Amino acid sequence: MLIKRAPELQSSEQTPKQIYLERRKFIAGLSLAAGASLAGKNLWNLLAPSAHVHASNKLSGVVKSSYRTDETQTPYEDATHYNNFYEFGTDKSDPAKNAQNFRTSPWTVTVDGEVKKPRKFSMDEILKLAPLEERVYRHRCVEAWSMVVPWIGYSFSELAKLVEPTPKARYVAFESYYDPRQMPLGSRAGIPLPYVDGLRLDEAMHPLALLTVGMYGESLPNQDGAPVRMILPWKYGFKSIKSLVRIRFVKDQPPVTWNLANSREYGFYSNVNPAVDHPRWTQAKERRLGEFFKRPTLMFNGYADQVAGLYSGMDLRKNF
Ligand SMILES: Nc1nc2c(c(=O)[nH]1)N[C@H]1C(S)=C(S)[C@@H](COP(=O)(O)O)O[C@H]1N2
Ligand SMILES: [Mo]
């Protein structure tokens, strides 16, 4: 009976997530058949999240953007079970386990500050504000691992246009949701919360800056920053702030969580730069999840042609 399921895995109708879940069921079945001795604790941990997976839904009307690398995409399983989301724990496997019951509906994002039309957006409004695009971006953490992920969203500038920033707006400040009751591990994360980040206005308005509502054809899983986050593919991953609740257009450079936590190690810009090492490790190479050999890290994570102009004349060693 289990064997018969295998050919279905090849169906082109299936999303990577469905394939992954089929595999999980398959593994579960095998272990039951083989007896309880094989069904160790780790296996049960692996199986537990499947009860909640329907928290993410297929997104319809998504068009493929030309912003896409044809490098091999990271398997859904890795991108959703190897995460940084300190509000839900500091181990890479914590967010997938601990964010399952995170309530992301109803959700509103407040946009204010130096804008002519401050307003709140419901999640429904955000989903309909501009056509949803699938963009396949390289995603590189400051810890020197990387992925290739098919994100879904649209340029942040689409939202910015609607609120009409005034000439005084020079930066954009972003803030994540924080509720210690839902995120009890946050108090032990070792970073100040709520998580905040910021961009210069021209960086935020760059078309690559993606207001992200989904991945792999579906809405974002909680552990990846549901229901809406930023993705800034030319910057280290920590700039890609999750579970956004507030966006403010401001005059002065806003605080950045990792810079507040350790200003010697993490700067405001945090553009991917293989020539400027982290004080404790090299940034010249990275490990792509699922690959054995390290690969060289590219300037601006491979997006130099598009974004280098934003930083012309700047000392990138000083402005790290
Ligand atoms: N609110 C919040 N956003 C966050 C983080 C976090 O801990 N909290 N971690 C950051 C870091 S360090 C990285 S590498 C990316 C990871 O995104 P992913 O788990 O979807 O790959 O999210 C970033 N956004
Ligand atoms: Mo990161």
Side-chain angles (χ1 to χ4, degrees):
M1 183 186 104
L2 285 163
I3 310 299
K4 243 172 72 190
R5 206 179 255 151
E8 292 170 22
L9 302 185
Q10 287 148 22
S11 158
S12 60
E13 299 291 287
Q14 284 182 310
T15 65
K17 182 175 113 174
Q18 288 170 316
I19 292 169
Y20 167 55
L21 292 176
E22 286 297 326
R23 263 193 225 129
R24 261 193 182 162
K25 277 190 242 160
F26 186 71
I27 293 165
L30 284 183
S31 75
L32 290 175
S37 63
L38 270 179
K41 191 171 178 292
N42 291 341
L43 186 64
W44 289 114
N45 283 346
L46 182 76
L47 293 169
S50 60
H52 294 276
V53 289
H54 294 291
S56 19
N57 303 303
K58 197 171 182 332
L59 289 173
S60 53
V62 179
V63 294
K64 286 192 177 189
S65 162
S66 56
Y67 287 121
R68 49 175 57 235
T69 171
D70 55 15
E71 288 168 49
T72 306
Q73 291 178 20
T74 299
Y76 177 88
E77 176 175 2
D78 291 341
T80 58
H81 290 78
Y82 192 87
N83 299 100
N84 275 336
F85 199 167
Y86 274 33
E87 289 87 332
F88 292 107
T90 54
D91 284 350
K92 299 287 179 276
S93 57
D94 281 344
K97 281 184 273 177
N98 300 332
Q100 277 174 40
N101 297 320
F102 177 36
R103 288 188 300 276
T104 58
S105 171
W107 193 271
T108 48
V109 181
T110 303
V111 187
D112 59 6
E114 295 294 344
V115 294
K116 287 193 197 116
K117 296 181 172 165
R119 58 173 280 192
K120 288 180 198 289
F121 292 88
S122 70
M123 203 45 218
D124 228 42
E125 290 171 319
I126 286 180
L127 285 166
K128 288 173 189 151
L129 188 151
L132 296 180
E133 299 172 26
E134 183 188 72
R135 299 192 185 173
V136 186
Y137 282 164
R138 286 179 288 274
H139 179 51
R140 193 205 188 272
C141 177
V142 74
E143 297 166 311
W145 48 267
S146 65
M147 305 185 192
V148 174
V149 178
W151 302 109
I152 297 168
Y154 45 79
S155 297
F156 173 78
S157 62
E158 299 282 352
L159 178 144
K161 275 193 304 205
L162 291 183
V163 296
E164 300 180 28
T166 72
K168 285 184 184 159
R170 291 177 55 231
Y171 293 89
V172 187
F174 299 92
E175 188 176 312
S176 289
Y177 182 82
Y178 182 50
D179 174 4
R181 281 164 305 172
Q182 287 201 70
M183 299 157 158
L185 295 177
S187 61
R188 288 196 266 143
I191 56 173
L193 295 174
Y195 197 99
V196 292
D197 202 84
L199 298 170
R200 229 172 43 200
L201 185 66
D202 59 340
E203 298 182 296
M205 298 304 279
H206 191 283
L208 276 176
L210 189 70
L211 191 71
T212 306
V213 298
M215 64 198 292
Y216 298 89
E218 301 182 335
S219 57
L220 286 171
N222 291 345
Q223 61 267 37
D224 287 277
V228 56
R229 70 179 296 182
M230 291 299 289
I231 289 291
L232 304 153
W234 71 99
K235 292 177 176 283
Y236 292 122
F238 75 81
K239 300 289 292 179
S240 292
I241 185 169
K242 295 180 168 180
S243 304
L244 277 173
V245 287
R246 189 161 189 208
I247 299 168
R248 229 164 343 138
F249 291 76
V250 294
K251 290 177 211 158
D252 301 313
Q253 186 174 296
V256 164
T257 289
W258 278 98
N259 178 258
L260 295 173
N262 189 336
S263 60
R264 207 176 73 86
E265 299 190 356
Y266 308 104
F268 174 79
Y269 287 94
S270 288
N271 293 314
V272 173
N273 188 343
V276 177
D277 286 339
H278 184 277
R280 290 184 281 130
W281 59 82
T282 176
Q283 294 292 27
K285 290 191 170 178
E286 67 197 55
R287 193 176 69 81
R288 180 70 47 88
L289 255 61
E291 289 180 1
F292 183 74
F293 292 106
K294 290 193 174 167
R295 52 165 72 211
T297 285
L298 305 174
M299 188 63 199
F300 295 114
N301 203 25
Y303 299 97
D305 286 351
Q306 290 98 312
V307 301
L310 293 171
Y311 310 102
S312 58
M314 274 176 71
D315 181 346
L316 297 180
R317 237 163 237 290
K318 250 172 77 187
N319 298 288
F320 60 96

